[in-house]
């Protein structure tokens, strides 16, 4: 199946590793060009080099108000067009409500929530018909995850923003989608499992609650996200797609 990605240009944030990087790899493998970002300059350069000539890297923090403009400008300058963005950011700190400080809430809000809103608004002003804005969110959009109070507070709000944006941009032919990863075998998930007294038992218990009985791979997530960003999904907007092995039982 041809996803129609050849020579399309996407910005993918948080793409030096994990889910963002897996999506960037899937896009490039199908012929797209990508501008990837991350906060560490060397990490961004190394990740872009690994992706090959179809990738450019920009060291940028989603919380920086100037980041969106720089990323979109790089897409146009380097590859001559801009077709969409996947907004991914590292997970906020783990912890329960009583453990999270005001400073941690503020930092997470700036990066996870407001930074994503800025990027989406900037993309919306630059995209034309056929453009797409994607958000990497979490299963916490539908159900709180124990010990991830900050994510539980911010991700559902972003999903609501994405749904509103889909309604507003639909008449202009611009799509908005969300991707909701479950237990994907990334550094972040292994780190969260490692916070328990017995990480192996924690993973085994988590896998037992997944209908497919295993963690997903970053590549599986990346392929799903790349499809949603592609012209092959041209009549899909306003959806929040779980990529979770069947954990979500609702429709």
């Amino acid at each position: 199946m041809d996803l129609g990605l050849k020579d399309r240009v996407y910005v993918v944030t948080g793409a030096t590793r994990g889910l963002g990087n897996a999506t960037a790899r899937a896009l490039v493998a199908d012929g797209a060009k990508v501008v990837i970002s991350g906060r560490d300059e060397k990490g961004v350069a190394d990740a872009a080099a690994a992706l090959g000539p179809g990738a450019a890297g920009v060291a940028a923090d989603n919380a920086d108000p100037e980041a969106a403009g720089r990323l979109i400008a790089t897409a146009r300058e380097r590859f001559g067009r801009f077709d969409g963005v996947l907004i991914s950011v590292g997970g906020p700190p783990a912890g329960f409500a009583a453990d999270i400080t005001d400073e941690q809430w503020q930092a997470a809000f700036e990066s996870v929530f407001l930074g994503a809103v800025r990027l989406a608004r900037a993309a919306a002003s630059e995209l034309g018909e056929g453009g797409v804005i994607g958000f990497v969110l979490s299963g916490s959009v539908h159900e709180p995850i124990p010990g991830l109070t900050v994510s539980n507070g911010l991700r559902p709000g972003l999903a609501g923003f994405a749904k509103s944006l889909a309604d507003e941009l639909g008449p202009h032919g611009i799509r908005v989608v969300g991707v909701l990863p479950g237990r994907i075998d990334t550094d972040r998930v292994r780190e969260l499992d490692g916070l328990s007294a017995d990480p192996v038992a924690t993973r085994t218990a988590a896998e037992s609650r997944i209908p497919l009985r295993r963690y997903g791979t970053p590549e599986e997530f990346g392929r799903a996200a790349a499809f949603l960003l592609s012209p092959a999904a041209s009549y899909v907007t306003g959806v929040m797609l779980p990529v979770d092995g069947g954990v979500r039982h609702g429709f």
Side-chain angles (χ1 to χ4, degrees):
M1 178 180 179
D2 181 4
L3 297 182
L5 285 168
K6 182 172 173 53
D7 295 327
R8 289 192 169 247
V9 179
Y10 297 90
V11 168
V12 184
T13 73
T16 58
R17 60 179 188 152
L19 303 180
N21 185 262
T23 304
R25 284 188 276 116
L27 290 169
V28 168
D30 244 57
K33 308 290 195 303
V34 295
V35 174
I36 64 169
S37 74
R39 285 178 287 197
D40 178 69
E41 191 166 347
K42 184 179 186 304
V44 171
D46 290 347
L51 287 165
V58 177
D61 187 335
N62 283 13
D64 179 0
E66 306 299 322
R70 290 174 54 212
L71 291 167
I72 295 169
T74 300
R76 293 200 185 281
E77 291 164 8
R78 180 71 182 267
F79 300 118
R81 57 190 289 174
F82 171 58
D83 296 288
V85 60
L86 182 70
I87 303 168
S88 177
V89 63
F96 295 91
D99 305 323
I100 308 299
T101 66
D102 285 0
E103 291 76 17
Q104 287 175 309
W105 274 109
Q106 186 67 44
F109 176 79
E110 291 284 343
S111 179
V112 174
F113 190 92
L114 187 56
V117 169
R118 286 196 194 102
L119 280 158
R121 284 195 320 229
S125 69
E126 294 278 345
L127 289 168
E129 186 169 355
V132 59
I133 298 169
F135 295 84
V136 177
L137 298 172
S138 164
S140 63
V141 163
H142 295 297
E143 184 174 353
I145 300 172
L148 293 182
T149 300
V150 178
S151 179
N152 296 338
L154 298 179
R155 304 288 195 192
L158 266 181
F161 171 75
K163 293 285 282 183
S164 296
L165 197 61
D167 288 344
E168 294 174 21
L169 298 182
H172 304 286
I174 299 170
R175 299 185 298 112
V176 182
V177 295
V179 199
L180 313 183
R183 306 298 285 185
I184 308 295
D185 195 12
T186 61
D187 292 342
R188 163 74 170 172
V189 169
R190 288 191 290 272
E191 176 189 333
L192 293 174
D193 286 348
L195 296 175
S196 69
D198 188 339
V200 174
T202 296
R203 176 164 179 153
T204 299
E207 288 177 330
S208 74
R209 294 188 291 271
I210 300 170
L212 288 180
R213 295 296 190 270
R214 63 178 177 84
Y215 282 12
T217 68
E219 291 74 19
E220 288 173 315
F221 176 90
R223 289 193 292 268
F227 166 73
L228 284 180
L229 293 172
S230 78
S234 58
Y235 202 57
V236 179
T237 191
V239 301
M240 300 289 124
L241 176 71
V243 182
D244 63 3
V247 166
R248 175 165 165 74
H249 294 137
F251 294 106

